[in-house]
Amino acid sequence: MPHALLHVLRYFLLGFLWLFFLYAIRMVYVEIKRSRAERFAPPPATGYGADHSVPLKLKVVDPPQRRGRTFELGEEVTLGRSAGCAVPLEDDTFTSSVHARVFQRGGEYWLEDLGSTNGTWLNEERVDDGPMRLQRGDRMKVGSTTLEVTR
C-alpha cells in the first residue's frame, strides 16, 4: 500500500474514533439530564385546574400532509423519527431519532428536549433548561412539525 494512502486511512480512523467518543458523551449527557429532571420533578398540582381526568392529546397542525393526526398522551411518550417513538415523525428530516418526551408528573404533563440537534420549542420558546409544563392550547415544534395540545 502506498504510504500516502496509509496516512489518509489513519486520519479517517481517528476521525471516526472522535465521532464515536463525542456521540457517547452526548448520550451520557442526555441520560444525566433526564435523571435530573425526574429527581427534581415539580410538586403535584392542587386547586383550580388540577383535575386531569381527561387525558391530553397531541394534534398535528403543520405540515399540511400530516395535519389532523392525533396521539394520546400516556404516562410518558417520546417524539422522534425512531420507529420506537409513540409519536413517530419518520418523514421529518429535522427531527432527531428520539427528539423529545412528554411525561406526566403530579397530574400535569411536561415537555422535555432530549438533546436534539434542532431543539424543541413550546409556544415559540426554546425548551432547553429542563422540562416545561404543558397546558391545553399550547403549541410545540419538534423539527419541522408543529403539534397542538388538546383534550
Side-chain angles (χ1 to χ4, degrees), residues 36-90:
R36 185 181 326 141
E38 290 172 358
R39 211 175 32 230
F40 297 113
T46 57
Y48 179 76
D51 180 24
H52 294 280
S53 58
V54 179
L56 292 179
K57 297 178 183 178
L58 293 177
K59 182 173 76 172
V60 177
V61 176
D62 199 41
Q65 63 267 27
R66 284 187 268 147
R67 184 177 292 142
R69 286 180 65 187
T70 59
F71 305 94
E72 292 235 0
L73 294 178
E75 186 70 27
E76 179 175 336
V77 296
T78 53
L79 297 88
R81 283 182 316 173
S82 175
C85 290
V87 180
L89 306 170
E90 59 274 332

Side-chain angles (χ1 to χ4, degrees), residues 17-31:
L17 284 173
W18 273 106
L19 286 175
F20 172 76
F21 285 125
L22 290 174
Y23 181 76
I25 290 170
R26 182 176 177 267
M27 289 295 104
V28 168
Y29 171 76
V30 167
E31 287 300 318

Side-chain angles (χ1 to χ4, degrees), residues 84-101:
C85 290
V87 180
L89 306 170
E90 59 274 332
D91 57 341
D92 187 346
T93 58
F94 294 101
T95 302
S96 299
S97 54
V98 181
H99 193 101
R101 77 177 179 131

Side-chain angles (χ1 to χ4, degrees), residues 61-62 111 118-128 132-134 137-143 145-148:
V61 176
D62 199 41
L111 172 66
N118 294 319
T120 302
W121 301 81
L122 178 61
N123 298 326
E124 310 224 2
E125 184 178 338
R126 189 174 176 125
V127 178
D128 57 0
M132 294 178 73
R133 189 166 62 96
L134 288 176
D138 284 346
R139 286 197 173 197
M140 67 175 69
K141 187 165 181 161
V142 177
T145 304
T146 304
L147 300 113
E148 183 177 1

